[in-house]
Amino acid sequence: MGNDNKKRSYLFYIAIPVALTLYFSLLVLDRWAVSTPLNLHLENKIEDFNKKENINNIIIGGSNAFYSLSAKFLSVNTNDTWYNLSISAEGFSDQNYIELLNQDLDFKKRQNVKNIFYSSIYYYRNGEIGLRNSSKRQIDGSNRFSIKPRFSGFTYLKRFLLNRKIFIDYPSQNEAGDIIFRSGLCDNERIFQRFKIEDFDKIYTNILYKAEALHSIFPNSTIYIIFPKDYIEEGSLGFYHKQISELKLFFKERSMIDNNTELFSSIKIFFQEPYSFEELCDSPSHANPVGRETRSEELLSWFNISTKSSSVQESE
């Protein structure tokens, strides 16, 4: 009987309190480790945009645009000022990203923006629009209501022993908001194709929503929707081009019915060609320095043609 009482006392007064303390400590640690790198990333974006003068053009989107488009290249080659406002996972939900752009960016600076390149990989990831619409994650990647850590205590211990810190630094950026490719950042050995196009109607509806929201935040801007480069394996290229052709036709027919032909015209929407494997960094939508240069050059060439075509139409 005495031993049973001792076991109960140990369980209730030592084991359970220690276990609960470790669990809640892991939750706090997990949220801090997940949030800290992304919060620094977001703060850099906001502070840079708000303190810089004469930012006339911006790139927005997720990490596909942060890794793979260069605002510095566009600034040099257009004799105008561009800034890369792309953030990780596009803020994990459309609402998060739009609130950041609307609430954290200086109002007067937003009025100066003339052109916006919006580049989203989620149109090429079936199901992601629905997941983003229902996401409970905050813009820093944390989940306010989660009772399950994203990473285990063993993971954090391993990171500390190997790197002497428990969180993974988000890549740094240059003065134009572009990623800085540090040594060891890119590793394309485990990359495989992830292209699986989203439902056409969902893409169309999401573009309308984004265009309206962005026009209200940047009232003097022209918005260009960029379907980004993505890695497509050689055997799937035919299917990829077939899907893109079908999506273009869907846009043309649906926009005529809805009287939205200008937004969905070829001078406002651009489909970039797929990456080669040699142009990849660490995922099928992340370019290495060579891929970024190729993608930025391709986009600029289209943009120059688009703006000329738009000028001709306005003069007629």
Side-chain angles (χ1 to χ4, degrees):
M1 182 68 70
N3 288 335
D4 289 342
N5 289 333
K6 287 182 180 179
K7 289 179 180 178
R8 292 194 192 97
S9 297
Y10 173 79
L11 182 65
F12 286 105
Y13 294 108
I14 299 178
I16 292 178
V18 168
L20 289 174
T21 299
L22 291 174
Y23 168 71
F24 285 110
S25 298
L26 179 58
L27 281 180
V28 173
L29 174 67
D30 184 73
R31 178 161 182 171
W32 177 78
V34 169
S35 301
T36 298
L38 286 183
N39 278 328
L40 290 173
H41 171 62
L42 295 171
E43 288 167 8
N44 287 335
K45 294 289 184 185
I46 295 165
E47 290 177 8
D48 271 8
F49 180 87
N50 288 338
K51 75 181 182 183
K52 290 182 183 295
E53 298 297 330
N54 304 317
I55 294 179
N56 298 323
N57 314 277
I58 59 173
I59 301 166
I60 63 173
S63 58
N64 84 88
F66 181 51
Y67 274 73
S68 313
L69 288 175
S70 173
K72 185 176 181 179
F73 170 88
L74 294 173
S75 297
V76 169
N77 289 279
T78 61
N79 294 317
D80 205 350
T81 308
W82 288 78
Y83 187 76
N84 195 331
L85 263 173
S86 304
I87 64 174
S88 179
E90 296 183 43
F92 298 95
S93 77
D94 291 347
Q95 181 179 351
N96 287 344
Y97 200 3
I98 288 168
E99 286 180 356
L100 177 136
L101 296 174
N102 191 39
Q103 297 175 10
D104 294 338
L105 302 184
D106 182 85
F107 175 71
K108 290 184 179 179
K109 299 287 180 67
R110 288 193 275 118
Q111 289 183 307
N112 294 333
V113 174
K114 299 182 301 184
N115 296 296
I116 298 174
F117 287 162
Y118 171 58
S119 174
S120 178
I121 196 61
Y122 294 117
Y123 297 148
Y124 288 164
R125 303 290 184 263
N126 188 270
E128 286 292 335
I129 290 178
L131 290 175
R132 291 176 60 79
N133 289 340
S134 61
S135 175
K136 298 296 190 294
R137 293 176 71 178
Q138 300 181 97
I139 198 166
D140 62 6
S142 63
N143 190 335
R144 183 182 304 168
F145 306 108
S146 177
I147 61 172
K148 180 182 179 182
R150 291 189 64 196
F151 300 102
S152 68
F154 175 76
T155 297
Y156 289 119
L157 177 61
K158 182 179 178 182
R159 287 181 184 175
F160 179 76
L161 293 175
L162 292 176
N163 305 312
R164 291 293 182 264
K165 56 185 177 183
I166 63 171
F167 60 80
I168 299 174
D169 292 324
Y170 200 76
S172 53
Q173 64 181 50
N174 63 18
E175 70 281 359
D178 302 330
I179 193 172
I180 297 174
F181 286 100
R182 304 287 189 192
S183 176
L185 178 62
C186 292
D187 178 9
N188 65 5
E189 290 184 1
R190 293 178 293 276
I191 296 176
F192 57 91
Q193 177 180 317
R194 291 190 58 204
F195 173 82
K196 188 176 181 183
I197 204 161
E198 180 61 277
D199 176 81
F200 289 179
D201 187 69
K202 289 182 179 179
I203 297 174
Y204 179 88
T205 302
N206 189 261
I207 289 175
L208 289 178
Y209 166 70
K210 294 278 177 55
E212 182 179 357
L214 292 173
H215 272 306
S216 68
I217 298 169
F218 305 95
N220 300 313
S221 66
T222 300
I223 297 165
Y224 299 89
I225 308 297
I226 312 302
F227 283 75
K229 284 179 174 290
D230 196 17
Y231 173 58
I232 308 296
E233 294 170 357
E234 187 173 350
S236 300
L237 283 171
F239 177 73
Y240 164 82
H241 287 298
K242 179 176 180 291
Q243 294 253 283
I244 297 304
S245 296
E246 291 174 354
L247 179 59
K248 289 179 179 179
L249 180 60
F250 176 87
F251 281 165
K252 180 179 180 180
E253 294 176 346
R254 180 71 180 271
S255 63
M256 290 179 66
I257 295 172
D258 296 343
N259 197 27
N260 288 315
T261 52
E262 181 181 1
L263 176 60
F264 289 90
S265 69
S266 60
I267 61 173
K268 293 293 176 62
I269 291 185
F270 180 45
F271 291 84
Q272 297 205 257
E273 289 298 309
Y275 287 120
S276 68
F277 190 80
E278 291 71 28
E279 294 174 320
L280 299 176
C281 179
D282 61 354
S283 90
S285 62
H286 291 176
N288 59 26
V290 174
R292 178 172 68 177
E293 183 176 358
T294 301
R295 186 178 170 197
S296 299
E297 288 177 347
E298 182 182 299
L299 180 56
L300 179 59
S301 295
W302 170 81
F303 180 63
N304 288 335
I305 295 171
S306 173
T307 50
K308 288 179 183 177
S309 298
S310 181
S311 298
V312 169
Q313 289 183 9
E314 290 175 1
S315 65
E316 290 178 347

